[in-house]
């Protein structure tokens, strides 16, 4: 799977700054706390697609709090401690797996998950475990709910796990303001994204909330009717934290040049090459996935019109595309001039539109996939 442990997706490198843990935590781990992780241990590791994969720990770097994990396909990657989910150790049920402390107080007892048996302080878990009437024996922790509910193409939308997941998603398990972002707000040093707090890559099936500008995995969202293509950011999306309830999504207007660009970017990401034959690959992909592209007013276009319009877009936008004839190859092959996804409307424009929607409706209808024109001159 592209973006999973068997793909090329970014791994946590040993020298990476985002893998460096704070010195205080490192000192704490050396101060006598029994290590939860060791070489040879089988664990679940969260990947950049938001999903969990089974692996085996090969090396442990306690200073940087990263692990070298070998996955089932024999690939090996460095993974941060925060993205590792080990099984509960016998005799540790009375210890909080988040703070490694067994101290309890009134209103902050240790509660055990009915599924993984891990212990959690009421106040350490996100959201806080309410126990006014007593915690039911069937209580399931956030990690286990996400492990069951997250799916390729989008999380569960119906059933008890889907309902529990939506309630969990209203609170993030980390402080959003503590993240250190790059200038374009595409990646942060802590490699902490989404509701799950796992790693991610903005161009590999993630949605950006137009209000908080944070990035969310396709696998963790419950609002999409179709799977995302790589690099597809043509959505007006608001996360559960910002809406205070269900996610909100609208499909933005796609023009023919955007469709051609999106298809080429998706193919180049999947196939790891630059040039593609127009009829056998580009047009074939468009026809096979026309419904999944959610092209709005262009959805009624016939196959002959798709042929004409996509080919015209590839030939007329030299600032985006390169044809084979320009590099003395077949004229029927095309590639991206730069391997970058198509540019959606500015975040400020989307944020303004989102604020208008929130102002005109106290409870915006979630999961609406309708066309929205936001691009000046479109």
């Amino acid at each position: 799977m592209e973006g999973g442990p068997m793909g090329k997706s970014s791994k946590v490198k040993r020298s990476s700054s985002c893998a460096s843990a704070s010195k205080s935590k490192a000192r704490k781990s050396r101060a006598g706390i029994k290590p939860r992780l060791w070489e040879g241990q089988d664990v679940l590791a969260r990947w950049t697609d938001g999903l969990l994969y089974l692996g085996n720990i090969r090396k442990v770097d306690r200073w940087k709090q990263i692990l070298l994990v070998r996955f089932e396909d024999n690939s090996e990657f460095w993974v941060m401690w925060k993205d590792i989910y080990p099984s509960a150790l016998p005799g540790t049920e009375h210890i909080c797996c988040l703070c490694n402390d067994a101290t309890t107080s009134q209103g902050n007892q240790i509660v055990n998950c009915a599924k993984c048996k891990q212990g959690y302080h009421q106040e350490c878990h996100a959201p806080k475990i309410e126990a006014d009437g007593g915690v039911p024996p069937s209580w399931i922790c956030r990690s286990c709910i996400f492990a069951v509910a997250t799916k390729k193409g989008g999380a569960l939308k119906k059933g008890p796990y889907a309902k529990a997941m939506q309630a969990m998603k209203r609170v993030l398990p980390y402080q959003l303001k503590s993240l250190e972002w790059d200038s374009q707000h595409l990646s942060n040093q802590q490699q902490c994204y989404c509701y799950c707090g796992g790693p991610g890559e903005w161009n590999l099936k993630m949605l950006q909330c137009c209000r908080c500008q944070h990035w969310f995995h396709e696998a963790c969202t419950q609002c999409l009717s179709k799977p995302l293509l790589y690099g597809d950011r043509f959505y007006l999306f608001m996360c559960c934290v910002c809406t205070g309830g269900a996610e909100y999504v609208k499909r933005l207007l796609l023009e023919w040049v955007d469709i051609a660009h999106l298809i080429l970017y998706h193919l180049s990401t999947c196939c790891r090459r630059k040039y593609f034959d127009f009829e056998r690959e580009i047009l074939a992909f468009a026809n096979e996935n026309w419904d999944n592209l959610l092209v709005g007013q262009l959805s009624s276009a016939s196959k002959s019109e798709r042929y004409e319009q996509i080919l015209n877009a590839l030939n007329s936008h030299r600032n985006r595309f390169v044809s084979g004839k320009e590099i003395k190859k077949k004229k029927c092959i095309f590639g991206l001039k730069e391997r970058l996804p198509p540019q959606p409307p500015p975040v400020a424009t989307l944020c303004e539109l989102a604020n208008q929607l929130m102002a005109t409706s106290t409870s915006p209808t979630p999961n609406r996939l309708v066309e929205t024109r936001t691009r000046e001159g479109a």
Side-chain angles (χ1 to χ4, degrees):
M1 173 182 176
E2 184 71 30
M6 56 289 294
K8 187 186 176 183
S9 186
S10 68
K11 52 192 174 183
V12 179
K13 297 180 181 179
R14 193 178 181 88
S15 59
S16 173
S17 60
C18 68
S20 299
S22 65
K23 291 183 179 180
S24 60
K25 287 185 177 180
R27 285 195 297 267
K28 184 177 180 180
S29 67
R30 296 194 302 270
I33 292 179
K34 185 176 181 179
R36 296 173 57 236
L37 306 166
W38 60 88
E39 293 179 9
Q41 183 182 13
D42 289 328
V43 294
L44 289 174
R46 191 174 301 282
W47 201 248
T48 53
D49 57 4
L51 299 174
L52 294 170
Y53 295 88
L54 181 64
N56 183 271
I57 298 176
R58 312 304 295 174
K59 292 182 182 179
V60 179
D61 188 325
R62 300 196 182 282
W63 174 257
K64 293 184 177 180
Q65 295 195 354
I66 56 177
L67 308 160
L68 183 63
V69 179
R70 177 178 292 174
F71 293 95
E72 291 182 297
D73 64 346
N74 288 324
S75 62
E76 294 186 351
F77 294 95
W78 287 96
V79 181
M80 300 174 73
W81 281 21
K82 72 177 182 65
D83 300 321
I84 295 293
Y85 299 85
S87 301
L89 298 175
T92 62
E93 295 84 0
H94 63 290
I95 301 174
C96 176
C97 66
L98 297 178
C99 69
N100 285 323
D101 192 356
T103 305
T104 60
S105 60
Q106 184 68 28
N108 192 30
Q109 300 295 315
I110 297 289
V111 180
N112 293 101
C113 172
K115 195 171 183 68
C116 67
K117 311 304 180 185
Q118 297 277 17
Y120 292 87
H121 276 121
Q122 290 177 252
E123 294 182 356
C124 287
H125 190 271
K128 179 182 177 180
I129 305 171
E130 301 295 340
D132 294 339
V135 178
S138 59
W139 178 82
I140 300 176
C141 71
R142 183 188 189 101
S143 296
C144 287
I145 287 173
F146 270 72
V148 174
T150 52
K151 304 289 181 183
K152 180 182 178 181
L156 297 177
K157 296 181 176 66
K158 296 181 180 179
Y161 279 98
K163 184 177 180 181
M165 183 185 196
Q166 185 163 317
M168 296 278 183
K169 284 160 60 172
R170 297 182 186 185
V171 179
L172 296 178
Y174 53 91
Q175 294 297 318
L176 193 58
K177 292 182 179 180
S178 66
L179 302 180
E180 301 171 73
W181 292 88
D182 64 5
S183 59
Q184 295 180 294
H185 209 88
L186 299 177
S187 61
N188 61 65
Q189 289 192 17
Q190 291 78 11
Q191 275 292 296
C192 193
Y193 304 91
C194 192
Y195 308 108
C196 63
E201 292 189 43
W202 64 272
N203 59 326
L204 299 182
K205 299 196 175 187
M206 297 190 80
L207 289 175
Q208 185 178 30
C209 176
C210 58
R211 302 201 80 191
C212 65
Q213 298 185 39
H214 202 28
W215 292 90
F216 296 84
H217 300 115
E218 170 198 69
C220 296
T221 59
Q222 296 170 289
C223 60
L224 294 171
S225 63
K226 302 290 184 181
L228 289 175
L229 266 67
Y230 292 120
D232 190 352
R233 293 178 288 165
F234 286 81
Y235 287 91
L236 175 66
F237 170 74
M238 286 184 278
C239 68
C240 292
V241 179
C242 290
T243 64
E247 293 158 338
Y248 182 77
V249 68
K250 276 190 177 183
R251 183 55 154 163
L252 301 178
L253 178 70
L254 281 174
E255 299 179 358
W256 286 109
V257 64
D258 298 318
I259 295 172
H261 193 153
L262 190 57
I263 291 173
L264 266 179
Y265 184 80
H266 182 85
L267 289 174
S268 64
T269 303
C270 291
C271 303
R272 308 196 190 288
R273 54 190 174 89
K274 183 170 183 176
Y275 293 99
F276 297 88
D277 184 88
F278 175 70
E279 290 190 14
R280 290 190 298 103
E281 296 174 301
I282 299 173
L283 187 64
F285 181 90
N287 289 333
E288 291 171 8
N289 296 276
W290 196 245
D291 291 338
N292 290 341
L293 285 168
L294 298 170
V295 294
Q297 65 182 16
L298 303 179
S299 60
S300 60
S302 64
K303 289 187 177 181
S304 60
E305 185 180 358
R306 298 172 202 170
Y307 182 105
E308 179 183 346
Q309 294 289 353
I310 294 176
L311 183 60
N312 179 63
L314 292 169
N315 281 317
S316 58
H317 289 80
R318 300 293 179 84
N319 61 324
R320 297 202 197 191
F321 311 116
V322 179
S323 67
K325 62 183 178 182
E326 295 177 38
I327 56 171
K328 299 181 179 180
K329 291 187 178 182
K330 296 178 181 179
K331 64 178 182 179
C332 62
I333 64 173
F334 295 89
L336 292 175
K337 195 164 188 177
E338 292 184 84
R339 192 176 169 184
L340 295 172
Q343 189 67 32
V347 174
T349 302
L350 297 179
C351 187
E352 181 180 353
L353 181 58
N355 290 334
Q356 292 174 2
L357 289 169
M358 296 296 285
T360 56
S361 176
T362 56
S363 181
T365 305
N367 306 350
R368 293 179 62 202
L369 283 169
V370 298
E371 175 185 310
T372 302
R373 183 181 293 270
T374 61
R375 309 177 78 186
E376 295 183 5

